[in-house]
Amino acid sequence: MQRPDGARVASETRNSADPRVPVGAVGWAIAGFALYSFADAGMKLVAGTTPIAQAIAVSSAASLIPVALLAFLPGGARRALRIGSWPVHVARAGTAAGAMCCNVYAFAHMPLADAYAILFSGPLVQSAAAAILLGEALRWRDW
């Protein structure tokens, strides 16, 4: 439903009165983090005996399966996967590949709990970098 000025009515976009929506989202987040934990533990097991490049290649190939399935689903999924800016996309992919190499190396050579403690400090580093490089304002609550 739209108002006469063309704006959408908020109740159409999201039902904020439904208490099940946040609970469902929390459940999906927990499931996602659990899957990442199992994947990282598996990577630790594999990276000790397999070359890191091979472990990353197999992991990346397996990650393409859901993306390929989404690309061919009806309902505009292919449109959602379109690339708007190739240079930015290539730079992002390159930094993600470098980060994955560093993470797999850390999983192979450190206790998993220590590697996770270091990896989870990433948001602090990203916040500091956003303030320094992008000039974003950070309040004390952001830390």
Side-chain angles (χ1 to χ4, degrees):
M1 182 175 176
Q2 288 186 344
R3 295 188 310 205
D5 62 355
R8 288 184 166 257
V9 176
S11 63
E12 182 181 320
T13 57
R14 181 170 183 252
N15 186 359
S16 60
D18 187 358
R20 294 173 298 178
V21 173
V23 174
V26 169
W28 282 107
I30 290 171
F33 285 122
L35 290 172
Y36 272 123
S37 297
F38 284 118
D40 291 342
M43 186 62 80
K44 179 170 181 61
L45 292 173
V46 171
T49 58
T50 306
I52 291 176
Q54 182 178 356
I56 291 172
V58 172
S59 174
S60 299
S63 298
L64 288 176
I65 294 170
V67 174
L69 292 174
L70 285 174
F72 295 106
L73 283 177
R78 186 178 289 189
R79 184 173 28 132
L81 296 172
R82 285 193 186 138
I83 296 170
S85 172
W86 277 99
V88 172
H89 186 72
V90 169
R92 168 71 167 88
T95 56
M100 182 183 273
C101 290
C102 293
N103 291 343
V104 171
Y105 186 85
F107 292 151
H109 295 90
M110 294 177 68
L112 199 56
D114 293 344
Y116 263 111
I118 294 169
L119 292 174
F120 283 161
S121 68
L124 295 173
V125 174
Q126 292 165 353
S127 295
I132 295 168
L133 300 175
L134 302 176
E136 292 191 16
L138 292 176
R139 298 167 303 208
W140 68 271
R141 291 186 305 255
D142 296 332
W143 294 98

